[in-house]
Amino acid sequence: MINPQYRQRAIQLREELSDDYFILWIWDEALGAAGSPGQFYEIRALASLANLQAVQAIPKLFKPVSIYDNQGGRIGFMIKKVGAGTNALSRLRAGDTLELIGPCGNGFPLTRSKRVLLLSGGIGYPPLWYLQKELINHNQIYWMHGGASQGDIFPCDEIWTEDGSIGRKGRVCDQLQETLVKQEIDIVYSCGPEGLLRAATAVTTEMKIEHYCSMEAYMACGIGVCHGCAVPIGTPQDWTYRRVCKEGPVFNADSIRWELL
Ligand SMILES: Cc1cc2nc3c(=O)[nH]c(=O)nc-3n(C[C@H](O)[C@H](O)[C@H](O)COP(=O)(O)OP(=O)(O)OC[C@H]3O[C@@H](n4cnc5c(N)ncnc54)[C@H](O)[C@@H]3O)c2cc1C
Ligand code: FES
């Protein structure tokens, strides 16, 4: 694992997925060899005269974005426009420059010969795409993904939407216990909003199923300095704060003290 480093890289390709989602691709062989599923980069659009329109709205803070894909150095970031930072990123085109700090944090522990459940909600999808590519040759995978509506849905085995516009109507954890039994799941990897991770952990803890989840947290520095992203980790009797950007974002779900969040 290498320490996070600052770089500037040209965007090779900008892929439009929908009104809300897009992918930025960069090329860097060294970074491709360094990153692992669940790790992320702090990224920002570089101000330049060439992208004046984007520059005007570029916030100072870098934004944490997971590695979505890594094709031997062709690295993709799948991003949803939600606010100023992600909207500024969405205005970048091929040839514009991205500022990056990373790879940051610790990724998912990989496994072999297991029946794996991938569980994602909304923008929790991208890190699991990279993860499934690393697991698929050695495990059996079942992937459930949920979102508010059809626009938040991407390829997977089981779809849930809150408005019922596609797949099953409801939240992706609504029948989690039944799925874990039916699919004979040994291990769960999850990423998504806190409510999803919390609900999933309640089920996996009860069923004593190994579960690793990637936490979403608001990040200021993103590199372990400000402690603004800390979450309580440990046992009910013996816990301490750990930084999502440094010791996380992936934690053993049982070790997160959800009752203190
Ligand atoms: C480790 C990690 C990996 C991430 N990976 C991705 C990714 O691969 N693709 C992607 O699109 N996004 C990802 N995110 C979320 C992304 O960082 C935020 O959407 C982004 O920082 C929002 O910045 P903004 O300036 O556009 O919006 P802001 O103005 O900062 O926020 C707009 C709204 O978005 C919501 N929001 C912002 N940040 C978060 C957060 N961290 N958790 C929950 N809600 C938030 C809030 O409701 C807020 O009101 C990741 C976050 C973390 C912590
Ligand atoms: S965001 Fe500053 S320590 Fe994690």
Side-chain angles (χ1 to χ4, degrees):
M1 203 169 74
I2 65 164
N3 285 327
Q5 288 173 12
Y6 173 83
R7 290 177 176 80
Q8 294 181 4
R9 289 291 175 269
I11 291 161
Q12 277 212 320
L13 178 71
R14 180 189 183 284
E15 215 178 310
E16 192 82 29
L17 298 180
S18 66
D19 284 350
D20 291 334
Y21 291 87
F22 60 98
I23 305 175
L24 297 178
W25 294 95
I26 59 160
W27 169 255
D28 189 313
E29 227 166 294
L31 287 189
S36 67
Q39 286 193 295
F40 66 96
Y41 282 82
E42 287 282 328
I43 67 176
R44 189 172 69 173
L46 179 73
S48 77
L49 285 178
N51 59 5
L52 204 54
Q53 198 195 357
V55 172
Q56 284 159 355
I58 292 175
K60 287 200 178 72
L61 288 181
F62 284 70
K63 298 292 167 182
V65 177
S66 308
I67 306 171
Y68 158 68
D69 204 353
N70 179 357
Q71 301 165 359
R74 189 170 176 261
I75 299 170
F77 300 104
M78 176 177 163
I79 301 168
K80 181 178 187 181
K81 294 180 222 171
V82 295
T86 45
N87 272 289
L89 289 166
S90 81
R91 285 190 284 271
L92 296 178
R93 296 289 178 268
D96 286 337
T97 303
L98 204 56
E99 293 183 280
L100 306 106
I101 302 169
C104 298
N106 292 296
F108 292 102
L110 301 181
T111 191
R112 274 177 173 258
S113 309
K114 297 262 178 70
R115 295 180 69 95
V116 172
L117 179 74
L118 303 182
L119 183 65
S120 51
I123 204 56
Y125 187 90
L128 298 193
W129 177 262
Y130 183 17
L131 178 63
Q132 62 91 22
K133 285 182 65 177
E134 295 293 309
L135 294 179
I136 203 153
N137 289 334
H138 307 291
N139 300 277
Q140 228 171 319
I141 296 180
Y142 190 75
W143 190 345
M144 296 164 75
H145 176 71
S149 191
Q150 188 162 4
D152 297 307
I153 299 304
F154 304 96
C156 64
D157 297 303
E158 189 177 313
I159 293 166
W160 288 77
T161 48
E162 285 170 33
D163 66 1
S165 49
I166 186 171
R168 301 186 186 194
K169 184 170 184 185
R171 298 195 166 179
V172 68
C173 278
D174 282 355
Q175 290 173 19
L176 181 59
Q177 188 161 355
E178 291 84 336
T179 306
L180 291 170
V181 172
K182 193 171 159 202
Q183 299 292 332
E184 300 176 44
I185 297 298
D186 302 307
I187 182 168
V188 176
Y189 296 95
S190 63
C191 187
E194 188 185 309
L196 185 164
L197 305 181
R198 187 187 282 267
T201 304
V203 177
T204 53
T205 302
E206 170 82 22
M207 294 177 73
K208 297 191 169 40
I209 291 176
E210 199 175 358
H211 177 187
Y212 296 94
C213 64
S214 180
M215 294 287 284
E216 281 185 7
Y218 293 96
M219 290 185 182
C221 74
I223 51 169
V225 177
C226 71
H227 288 249
C229 63
V231 291
I233 301 291
T235 64
Q237 297 75 29
D238 181 18
W239 59 268
T240 185
Y241 280 105
R242 298 277 180 220
R243 296 159 295 183
V244 173
C245 69
K246 194 78 176 172
E247 287 85 26
V250 175
F251 295 102
N252 185 319
D254 270 339
S255 74
I256 299 165
R257 303 283 25 107
W258 299 99
E259 67 278 14
L260 302 174
L261 280 175

